[in-house]
Amino acid sequence: DILAARFAAAGFEPIRMLFSCRSQQAFSQACEEFAHLLDETQVLAFPGGSYPDYGSIPAAAADPAARFAEAVFSQPHLSDALYRFRERSETLTLGLGEGFRMLLASPLLKGDIGDEDERLSLAENPCGHLVSKPVRVRIMSVNSPWMRFCESGEIYTLPVASKAGRCLIPGELVLDMGGRGQIAGQYVDEDHNPTMDTARNPFASEYAVEGIFSRDGRVMGRMTHPDRVDDSLCINVPGAKELRIFDAAMEYYKIKV
């Protein structure tokens, strides 16, 4: 897939983790394998695209991605493995598009995006259907290893594709996160100002928030897909340019090891 190819081009050796939902036994085995791989992994990435429908959880969230996330991250041995992974200073985590939703459902951002009552979340688009288009994003913070080759204030045109990409965030929380440099990007108009115009902020994300970091910057979630822009992708989109997050991840790993 595209995301794995981008990591490979930067010098990583991607391992694709596949989950079978055909039976509880197969699913549990996949979760055990995932926990084992985490102890030997430097970067954990949740890709965009569709996630399998794990529909056997009573009263679970309505959409397949949320049900799948709940099923995966409720596994006790996985919680321990994710904690160990997060504690290792050389590790990085990425969630793009639907992968951002998986990231928010994981324990990897616990304490970084508000408490249980007032926290950042993603909801269905107001239009009720999938939106796929290029959008204009301003880099709000480079307080992250992922942003090593970027500068605050830069403008990128990047693709989005999601049915549930609306960022919901309380006003006090967005001020707190902004003050700590945790707001990665905002949707902007032609004058580079944050906008709620759905032609430019297609998910109607509150405060035009497009992406965020953890407090230490090692975890990044974005609704845009920088993996889908390079010398051969989006070449006919005006303003599209590569956000070099994959090269930045490799540089961080080299420094840490």
Side-chain angles (χ1 to χ4, degrees):
D1 57 43
I2 295 175
L3 184 59
R6 298 303 303 276
F7 275 112
F12 289 97
E13 297 180 5
I15 299 175
R16 297 173 180 85
M17 184 66 228
L18 302 178
F19 288 83
S20 172
C21 297
R22 293 181 179 179
S23 69
Q24 180 61 52
Q25 181 180 4
F27 183 76
S28 296
Q29 288 176 347
C31 289
E32 289 179 10
E33 182 183 354
F34 184 28
H36 174 72
L37 285 172
L38 279 174
D39 289 330
E40 303 172 355
T41 296
Q42 284 72 48
V43 179
L44 174 61
F46 298 101
S50 299
Y51 281 81
D53 189 352
Y54 193 88
S56 63
I57 303 176
D63 65 281
R67 282 197 294 268
F68 179 70
E70 186 174 345
V72 170
F73 297 123
S74 64
Q75 303 290 317
H77 49 282
L78 253 184
S79 296
D80 293 340
L82 286 167
Y83 176 79
R84 293 194 301 271
F85 175 84
R86 187 72 174 88
E87 287 296 297
R88 287 161 45 210
S89 64
E90 81 277 11
T91 62
L92 296 172
T93 307
L94 177 67
L96 300 177
E98 292 298 302
F100 185 11
R101 303 181 68 206
M102 287 291 293
L103 181 58
L104 290 175
S106 79
L108 293 164
L109 282 168
K110 187 175 182 180
D112 287 327
I113 54 171
D115 55 31
E116 290 302 316
D117 296 322
E118 289 196 345
R119 70 191 304 271
L120 184 148
S121 62
L122 293 173
E124 186 173 289
N125 301 340
C127 63
H129 57 73
L130 174 76
V131 175
S132 178
K133 63 180 295 183
V135 296
R136 190 179 291 106
V137 173
R138 183 172 68 188
I139 302 302
M140 299 302 298
S141 170
V142 292
N143 188 30
S144 167
W146 290 103
M147 307 301 286
R148 179 182 180 89
F149 298 115
C150 300
E151 294 183 9
S152 182
E154 282 187 311
I155 305 297
Y156 286 80
T157 299
L158 300 167
V160 293
S162 179
K163 186 179 179 181
R166 188 185 185 198
C167 180
L168 303 179
I169 181 169
E172 288 190 13
L173 179 58
V174 78
L175 288 175
D176 289 343
M177 292 182 67
R180 293 191 295 265
Q182 286 184 255
I183 304 300
Q186 286 183 297
Y187 302 103
V188 296
D189 59 21
E190 291 84 350
D191 296 322
H192 303 168
N193 297 314
T195 179
M196 291 301 296
D197 178 0
T198 53
R200 298 160 181 81
N201 175 356
F203 306 136
S205 292
E206 293 179 341
Y207 302 96
V209 171
E210 173 271 334
I212 56 100
F213 305 128
S214 59
R215 292 188 186 219
D216 63 5
R218 292 193 293 123
V219 182
M220 181 172 75
R222 310 192 79 108
M223 281 313 302
T224 53
H225 281 277
D227 54 322
R228 300 177 186 178
V229 179
D230 65 9
D231 292 339
S232 61
L233 296 170
C234 290
I235 57 176
N236 63 333
V237 177
K241 61 180 178 178
E242 184 178 359
L243 188 65
R244 295 179 58 199
I245 59 174
F246 306 101
D247 293 334
M250 176 53 73
E251 287 299 311
Y252 180 78
Y253 175 66
K254 289 178 180 178
I255 292 170
K256 285 296 181 179
V257 298

